[in-house]
Amino acid sequence: MKKIVIILVFLFLSGWQSQVFAEAAEEEKIPDLEVTETESGRKVDLESAKAHLKRAQDYFQLEALDKAQEEYQQALKANPGSAAAHFGLGYCQEMKNDVRGAIKEYLAAKRLDSKHFDASSRLADIYVSMGIFDKAIQEYRSALEIDPRYSQGLIKIGLVYRKQGMLEEAAEAFRTALVIDPESKIAIYNFAGCQKDRGNIREACEELDRLKARVKNSETKRLVDKILIDLCIAS
């Protein structure tokens, strides 16, 4: 069971950084005018910004981070109000282990676009890695306000709470995640673990029995059965 859990956690953590920037250029709303002017009189070349964003993503796909970063910087010169460019630049910096630089750019993206889901999600993951758990949970909840179906955000909140020994809050986060995604093995395992540690074994068994009826994947069903057996032995 421990080996299974380690593998599941590894796969889950690996997914945190996959394809979070892929639609950045598409999210950037480019009007018909090629050049506009800000209130301060500064010209903004939106078509140039769009072109730099596209090149930046092409370079990122090729893992040419330095060139991608340069293109995002050029996009910001053309349009300083581009949330997509700030996010892309932040992601490049995060991949290059410039955590402070990444945080700065993600926050800039959020200031320009309060509904920037990926910026909140990435900030939360960084705060977890830094041990700043209150801010991490705040950012995960911000992401959930944008996308209430963000089950991984709830799982991550649960993992943070469990790490801090806040088992009741953790169990509730995992329970809510399972309402959205009953097939999540990490949520199932951690929910059962929290309830076991709280001494709520009977309640855990009842909830897992109800969950099993919603599970369609045979591998997930076997995991639930294994956990139920372990809980019965523990009781």
Side-chain angles (χ1 to χ4, degrees):
M1 174 60 73
K2 289 183 178 179
K3 290 183 178 179
I4 294 174
V5 174
I6 291 171
I7 293 171
L8 289 174
V9 172
F10 173 78
L11 292 174
F12 180 76
L13 293 175
S14 297
W16 286 15
Q17 297 182 344
S18 62
Q19 297 182 347
V20 296
F21 74 99
E23 298 179 357
E26 294 180 6
E27 294 173 358
E28 188 75 352
K29 306 302 181 183
I30 306 296
D32 293 334
L33 295 176
E34 181 177 353
V35 177
T36 62
E37 194 169 286
T38 64
E39 292 180 0
S40 63
R42 180 176 180 180
K43 290 184 178 180
V44 177
D45 190 340
L46 297 173
E47 285 300 321
S48 176
K50 182 178 180 180
H52 284 298
L53 281 173
K54 176 63 171 63
R55 284 196 291 271
Q57 292 192 36
D58 290 343
Y59 280 129
F60 200 106
Q61 294 289 354
L62 296 172
E63 299 184 2
L65 294 181
D66 289 337
K67 289 184 177 295
Q69 186 167 324
E70 289 175 8
E71 290 296 335
Y72 281 125
Q73 289 168 339
Q74 290 299 317
L76 285 171
K77 286 182 180 179
N79 178 18
S82 170
H86 276 293
F87 176 79
L89 180 57
Y91 199 68
C92 284
Q93 291 172 326
E94 185 181 353
M95 294 300 97
K96 294 169 71 175
N97 295 317
D98 180 1
V99 176
R100 292 184 181 276
I103 290 174
K104 178 182 177 182
E105 297 301 330
Y106 291 151
L107 289 173
K110 286 192 62 177
R111 282 194 296 271
L112 292 165
D113 179 6
S114 61
K115 299 296 185 181
H116 203 299
F117 171 86
D118 288 331
S120 289
S121 177
R122 293 308 314 146
L123 276 170
D125 290 349
I126 288 176
Y127 288 142
V128 169
S129 70
M130 297 173 69
I132 310 175
F133 298 132
D134 54 341
K135 285 190 175 183
I137 290 174
Q138 180 181 339
E139 291 296 342
Y140 284 135
R141 294 202 183 281
S142 292
L144 281 161
E145 288 179 7
I146 301 167
D147 180 8
R149 301 288 300 175
Y150 180 38
S151 60
Q152 286 194 354
L154 287 163
I155 293 171
K156 293 173 184 180
I157 288 172
L159 292 171
V160 171
Y161 277 139
R162 190 174 186 189
K163 184 178 181 68
Q164 296 179 95
M166 302 171 66
L167 299 180
E168 181 178 356
E169 292 84 352
E172 181 58 31
F174 294 128
R175 180 186 288 114
T176 307
L178 288 169
V179 171
I180 300 171
D181 180 13
E183 304 284 349
S184 172
K185 299 180 181 65
I186 290 181
I188 292 169
Y189 179 85
N190 280 280
F191 171 74
C194 288
Q195 294 295 67
K196 179 181 177 181
D197 292 345
R198 295 176 67 204
N200 295 342
I201 294 179
R202 180 177 178 181
E203 180 182 343
C205 289
E206 291 174 352
E207 292 195 58
L208 288 173
D209 272 330
R210 290 194 294 270
L211 175 70
K212 186 178 176 181
R214 299 171 54 212
V215 169
K216 297 179 180 180
N217 183 281
S218 59
E219 185 180 344
T220 307
K221 284 183 180 290
R222 287 195 293 272
L223 175 64
V224 174
D225 286 336
K226 176 66 169 59
I227 291 174
L228 285 169
I229 292 172
D230 290 344
L231 290 174
C232 288
I233 292 174
S235 63

